[in-house]
Amino acid sequence: MNDTPRVAPKSPSEALKPVAPPAPPPKARRRRRTSPFLSMLSGLFTVVLVVAGLIGVGFAVVSNQSEKAGPLSSDRVVIIPKDSGLTEITELLEREGVIDHAWTFKTSAWISGKRGELKHGEYLFKAHASQNDVLDIISSGKVVEHAVTIPEGLTSEQIVARLRENDLLAGEITQAPKEGSILPDTYRFPRGFSRQGILDRMARDQRTVLARIWERRPADLPVKTPQELVILASIVEKETGRADERPRVAGVFINRLNRRMKLQSDPTIVYGLAGGKGTLGRPIQRNEITQATPYNTYVIDGLPPGPIANPGRAAMEAVVNHSRTKDLYFVADGSGGHAFAETLDQHNRNVGRWRQIETTRIQQGGKPPAESVDKVEPLPGPDNRTEAPAGTQPGDNAVAQPAGIAGTKARAFDASEGTPRDPLLNKTYDLNSPKQLPQLKVP
C-alpha cells in the first residue's frame, strides 16, 4: 500500500506559475570563546561575595555578643599580670567568668584596635559587664585604687613603718624622710605602687601646702621661717586633737614666745627622749622633766631645733591664724578639751577643778585613762611655778616635783591631759562652763 500523500491536481493556470525556491537554512551562530581571565574574575567575585556575606554575619554575631550583658552575677576584681598578651588576658577573663566567649572577645579586640592597648593591673568589673565594657576598662587602665591614711602627728619613722606594713604597696624605703617634711593625709594608689612613691607625693604636697600657708602669715608672727612654722605646728598637733582648739593652743605658745617664756610642752620631752619612735610607752618621770635634751622645752628657750612630728594642714593653718588672746596656760578640762587661763591664779583654779573632777571619778570606780603614757602627772598641790620645775633628785619615779621644795625656785608649768589623774573619759564636766563645774573644796 502506497503511503505517499496524494498531490492535489493544480489548475492549468497554477501549474504555469513559477515555484519559489525554498528559504535558505539559518546560519549557525559562532560561539564566542570566553577569556580564562574573565572566568577567574567572575569566580573570584563570587567568592568575595560569599566571604563578605560570612563576614557580615560574623560581625553581626560578634557585635551582638560584645554588647549584650556579660555572665558576671556580681562585681568581681581581677588582677591581670604584667606582660600578659591578648591570649593570656582572654583566658584569664574566661576563667574568672567575666566573659563567656573567648573568640568574640579576641575578635572585638582586633576590630576595635584595642588589642595592643590592654594594660596590666587590678580591675573591678561590674555585674553583667559587657565585653565592650571589659575592653574599655582594660584598655583605659582604670585600675582599682586603694587608700592609705596617714594620721596627723606621727613621726616620719612611724609613717615609714605604716607604709612598710601595707601589703598593697611595693618596693623598699631606704631612708625615713626628715621630720616634718611630709604631709599627713589620705593617699590613693593602685596595687603595687611603690612605697617611696607615696613618700615622694607626701613631700611634694607638704611643700605646696606650706608655701601657700606661709604666704598668708601675719606680719607679727614670731616664727621667721617656714621651718619654724612647721616646728610650732608639730607641737600644736601633739598637744590637742580637737580642731576647734588648735588656734587657741597655738595662740598660747605664740604668746609665750612673745614674752620669752619657755613653751613647756610635754610632747617635746617625749621627742627628746624617744626620738622618731614618738612614744615612751609610759608616763614621763619627774627626773625627765628637766633632763637636758635639744627638744625639751621645759629646759630650752624658744622653739626646739626641729619638728617633733609631721603636722597636718589644719595645725599649720592654726599657727598663722592663731587666736588673739592673752592666754598663757591650758589644762585638761575633763571633757576631752582644755581650760585656758591668762594668769597663773586662773590656771591653778582650773587645775584644782580638774583634780576635783578626777577625784570624783576615781571615787566612783573609774580607771586611769589609757592615754596616761607620754604625759606629765600634775602636782598634787598648788602650782606656783612660772617656768620649768627644778631641783629634782636622781632616781625619783614621780612624774612631777611638788612646789615649795627648799632651795628651789617656784615655777609654773602647764598640766597636761592624759595622766592617771586626767578625766578625759569623763564627759560630765566642762571647765569652760561655770554651770557644770563641781564645787571646789577649799582646804
Side-chain angles (χ1 to χ4, degrees):
M1 185 174 180
N2 188 2
D3 294 330
T4 302
R6 296 179 65 184
V7 179
K10 297 181 180 180
S11 64
S13 60
E14 289 179 352
L16 292 175
K17 290 180 180 180
V19 178
K27 292 183 178 180
R29 296 182 60 186
R30 292 186 61 184
R31 190 173 181 181
R32 294 185 62 183
R33 193 174 178 182
T34 304
S35 170
F37 178 71
L38 294 177
S39 300
M40 182 182 67
L41 286 180
S42 176
L44 183 60
F45 181 72
T46 302
V47 171
V48 169
L49 287 178
V50 173
V51 171
L54 293 176
I55 291 176
V57 173
F59 182 81
V61 172
V62 170
S63 178
N64 180 64
Q65 290 292 334
S66 299
E67 294 176 358
K68 78 172 188 177
L72 279 179
S73 58
S74 59
D75 296 354
R76 178 165 299 181
V77 173
V78 177
I79 300 175
I80 297 178
K82 193 174 182 179
D83 299 326
S84 297
L86 177 59
T87 300
E88 291 83 4
I89 294 175
T90 303
E91 292 175 352
L92 175 61
L93 295 176
E94 189 175 33
R95 188 165 56 250
E96 293 291 334
V98 179
I99 60 175
D100 48 10
H101 297 291
W103 72 271
T104 57
F105 183 83
K106 286 185 179 181
T107 305
S108 296
W110 278 92
I111 294 174
S112 63
K114 297 177 180 178
R115 179 182 65 89
E117 301 176 3
L118 304 183
K119 302 174 178 65
H120 72 278
E122 182 180 13
Y123 295 95
L124 171 64
F125 301 108
K126 296 291 186 179
H128 307 297
S130 68
Q131 289 188 2
N132 283 342
D133 294 336
V134 174
L135 268 175
D136 290 341
I137 292 173
I138 302 176
S139 61
S140 63
K142 296 178 181 178
V143 296
V144 175
E145 286 192 333
H146 302 274
V148 56
T149 298
I150 304 299
E152 296 87 348
L154 295 182
T155 66
S156 293
E157 189 173 323
Q158 290 173 320
I159 292 174
V160 167
R162 288 201 173 203
L163 294 180
R164 284 174 175 160
E165 292 171 357
N166 193 310
D167 295 334
L168 298 175
L169 292 168
E172 296 297 328
I173 298 174
T174 56
Q175 186 177 1
K178 292 182 179 180
E179 207 71 80
S181 66
I182 50 181
L183 183 69
D185 205 341
T186 296
Y187 294 88
R188 305 191 70 82
F189 62 92
R191 178 186 291 269
F193 194 78
S194 72
R195 295 179 174 89
Q196 188 61 49
I198 293 290
L199 286 177
D200 293 342
R201 191 188 305 173
M202 295 174 68
R204 288 195 302 270
D205 289 355
Q206 170 70 344
R207 290 192 295 269
T208 301
V209 169
L210 178 58
R212 292 174 181 171
I213 294 175
W214 181 250
E215 290 176 354
R216 303 195 304 270
R217 72 190 185 280
D220 60 349
L221 193 67
V223 296
K224 302 306 178 185
T225 65
Q227 177 69 358
E228 288 185 353
L229 188 151
V230 175
I231 293 172
L232 183 53
S234 70
I235 297 175
V236 173
E237 191 73 80
K238 296 295 289 186
E239 284 286 3
T240 181
R242 285 180 48 167
D244 60 323
E245 281 192 349
R246 290 192 187 102
R248 197 166 183 182
V249 170
V252 170
F253 290 127
I254 288 173
N255 290 340
R256 282 178 165 259
L257 287 174
N258 287 330
R259 293 192 177 206
R260 299 186 182 279
M261 296 175 65
K262 288 181 169 61
L263 298 185
Q264 299 177 329
S265 171
D266 292 354
T268 63
I269 299 177
V270 175
Y271 193 85
L273 298 173
K277 292 182 175 59
T279 178
L280 295 174
R282 56 170 174 77
I284 298 173
Q285 296 179 353
R286 176 169 42 169
N287 63 330
E288 293 171 338
I289 299 175
T290 54
Q291 184 172 331
T293 72
Y295 288 86
N296 187 352
T297 54
Y298 281 86
V299 177
I300 67 171
D301 294 321
L303 295 169
I308 62 172
N310 289 277
R313 184 195 308 260
M316 291 187 286
E317 292 277 6
V319 172
V320 299
N321 298 300
H322 59 276
S323 299
R324 301 284 178 163
T325 68
K326 296 181 180 180
D327 296 331
L328 294 173
Y329 308 91
F330 58 87
V331 64
D333 64 2
S335 66
H338 294 84
F340 295 84
E342 297 180 7
T343 66
L344 185 58
D345 287 340
Q346 293 173 351
H347 175 62
N348 280 330
R349 285 195 293 270
N350 290 336
V351 172
R353 289 166 179 164
W354 173 38
R355 291 182 182 129
Q356 179 79 39
I357 295 171
E358 179 61 8
T359 300
T360 302
R361 187 188 66 81
I362 293 176
Q363 290 174 351
Q364 294 175 351
K367 297 181 180 179
E371 294 84 359
S372 61
V373 298
D374 300 328
K375 300 294 180 180
V376 170
E377 183 179 350
L379 299 174
D383 190 346
N384 296 317
R385 294 167 295 175
T386 58
E387 295 263 343
T392 58
Q393 299 296 324
D396 289 338
N397 293 322
V399 294
Q401 179 179 340
I405 297 179
T408 64
K409 183 180 178 180
R411 298 179 177 183
F413 75 96
D414 296 343
S416 299
E417 77 281 10
T419 71
R421 295 185 179 183
D422 180 358
L424 287 179
L425 301 180
N426 188 330
K427 307 299 181 182
T428 304
Y429 305 113
D430 181 359
L431 296 184
N432 289 316
S433 176
K435 294 181 179 180
Q436 297 186 26
L437 293 179
Q439 184 176 0
L440 180 63
K441 295 181 181 180
V442 180

